[in-house]
Amino acid sequence: MRELPKIELHLHHEGAAPPAFIRGLASEKRVDLSRIFREDGSYAYRDFNHFLSVYEAATSVLTGPEEFARLTRAVLEESAAHGVVYSETFLSPDFCGGGDVTAWLEYLAAIREAADEAERDLGITLRGIVTCIRHFGPEQAKTAAVCAAETAGDWIVGFGMAGDEMVGHHRDYIWSFDCAREAGLKITTHAGEWGGAASVREAVDDINPARIGHGVQAIDDLALVDVLAERGIVLEVCPGSNVFLGVYPSLAKHPIQRLRERGVKVTVSTDDPPFFHTTMTREFEALEKTFGWGEEDFAEVTENALAAAFCNDETKDKIRERLT
Ligand code: ADE
Ligand code: ZN
């Protein structure tokens, strides 16, 4: 399973930081982050909101482009070790220069250099999705959108929103999504991880995204599931994350298979792998064990991911070759 070539579309750049990497940076900088680690070295948090604050504390030691370059290398080494040949990660200007365009350009240049090097060494391609953070509010989201628009192109290929889904509404962020879309970026947004089917409906009606991060709670409104299927809105499903955070009590109760059966295009990702003790290999193995997925099922989700990837056709051709 580890060797099977994979595509991952939903991965938070900082959320993929190995805890040892963050601990090492904290000790280099003499910042006391002991409260965010358990004795066994893993990240410690109680629930989703606490997870978000631990995430932000971990991110606080990533203070410059060089740290993000090192992080990029570490993340891509780990992904490549699990067979990932193409990955899109969420990058937040809020964490990369505080929303300042000049600083963002420096962070992005460092990240891209590290990604180019990893592509040469490891055969994994990375593209970026600029992401605003919902609980930082609509005004700060605009600075992220401007950073996204300024750097839209063959490498920054999308714009999205992460963060606390229970804060505000998608309609509060329409300016930012429009700004990014007008710059040619493709759109994805987190919805239906915590906010229920109504939150997915709001995202679809107010933002019209090509993809939805999670989206799994749409299962509670079958008419909405049919809309997702008919419009070809692709779900970036992160089963291990949902089970670890308690959105569903077990993988057996997770709706990924029911969504597929009703015609929704699903893909599989890890979200924030070290936080949820997962990897792409573990996700695939768990789907095989729980739902009996085999070669054809994995081929289908990988084809869905390639079709829904935000990169250009030339990049897709290169990735297709790596899959065969
Ligand atoms: N940021 C990092 N991980 C996230 C998740 N699972 N949901 C929302 N925002 C996030
Ligand atoms: Zn996510």
Side-chain angles (χ1 to χ4, degrees):
M1 207 59 103
R2 203 182 238 269
E3 270 88 57
L4 192 70
K6 303 174 188 72
I7 292 177
E8 178 159 39
L9 300 181
H10 188 116
L11 182 65
H12 297 263
H13 210 85
E14 308 85 14
F21 177 87
I22 295 295
R23 239 190 354 265
L25 272 182
S27 91
E28 270 173 37
K29 294 174 185 232
R30 299 184 192 285
V31 176
D32 180 13
L33 276 187
S34 54
R35 70 186 184 285
I36 72 163
F37 298 110
R38 291 186 207 286
E39 264 178 28
D40 68 2
S42 63
Y43 291 113
Y45 56 92
R46 291 181 301 276
D47 53 27
F48 179 65
N49 282 306
H50 190 214
F51 155 74
L52 289 176
S53 79
V54 166
Y55 185 109
E56 282 159 30
T59 303
S60 69
V61 294
L62 297 160
T63 50
E66 177 52 30
E67 279 92 346
F68 267 84
R70 281 164 64 187
L71 172 62
T72 302
R73 178 71 190 201
V75 169
L76 292 176
E77 279 178 2
E78 179 67 9
S79 291
H82 288 278
V84 177
V85 296
Y86 175 76
S87 180
E88 290 178 7
T89 59
F90 298 124
L91 287 163
S92 305
D94 300 277
F95 302 135
C96 299
D100 175 77
V101 175
T102 310
W104 164 242
L105 289 169
E106 287 168 17
Y107 278 78
L108 186 56
I111 291 166
R112 287 188 62 167
E113 200 180 314
D116 287 348
E117 208 176 282
E119 178 158 28
R120 283 194 299 275
D121 299 347
L122 308 167
I124 179 169
T125 300
L126 176 67
R127 293 292 182 265
I129 298 175
V130 172
T131 309
C132 65
I133 308 296
R134 187 161 173 161
H135 55 273
F136 293 171
E139 283 311 307
Q140 208 163 317
K142 288 179 185 171
T143 66
V146 170
C147 287
E150 288 289 330
T151 49
D154 286 345
W155 204 90
I156 289 294
V157 290
F159 180 74
M161 180 160 74
D164 187 352
E165 194 185 338
M166 304 316 278
V167 171
H169 294 276
H170 267 100
R171 62 176 175 272
D172 306 331
Y173 299 85
I174 286 175
W175 189 94
S176 295
F177 282 101
D178 283 351
C179 167
R181 203 188 317 261
E182 280 163 24
L185 291 166
K186 308 242 176 66
I187 302 296
T188 176
T189 188
H190 281 62
E193 178 188 18
W194 298 104
S199 165
V200 178
R201 199 174 270 282
E202 274 190 11
V204 170
D205 289 348
D206 295 338
I207 305 298
N208 188 26
R211 305 193 322 227
I212 292 180
H214 301 285
V216 287
Q217 292 181 322
I219 197 68
D220 298 320
D221 176 350
L222 292 180
L224 174 63
V225 173
D226 293 342
V227 170
L228 298 178
E230 279 155 23
R231 293 183 30 185
I233 298 173
V234 173
L235 300 189
E236 303 155 4
V237 182
C238 309
S241 158
N242 294 156
V243 173
F244 198 85
L245 286 172
V247 181
Y248 295 99
S250 64
L251 187 55
K253 297 263 165 59
H254 192 282
I256 186 166
Q257 182 64 7
R258 280 174 284 150
L259 288 160
R260 277 180 86 204
E261 283 164 6
R262 220 175 154 95
V264 178
K265 289 211 176 343
V266 306
T267 61
V268 174
S269 295
T270 59
D271 211 6
D272 308 281
F275 282 89
F276 308 138
H277 301 273
T278 191
T279 61
M280 283 297 278
T281 306
R282 281 199 194 152
E283 295 293 331
F284 276 33
E285 284 172 349
L287 290 161
E288 179 185 45
K289 190 161 160 239
T290 304
F291 297 113
W293 283 21
E295 221 170 286
E296 283 179 17
D297 304 278
F298 292 116
E300 182 189 301
V301 293
T302 302
E303 274 162 33
N304 287 346
L306 185 61
F310 288 165
C311 60
N312 62 25
D313 287 344
E314 194 187 329
T315 309
K316 286 193 187 188
D317 289 344
K318 181 168 63 184
I319 306 313
R320 196 173 290 109
E321 270 177 37
R322 287 190 199 141
L323 292 174
T324 49

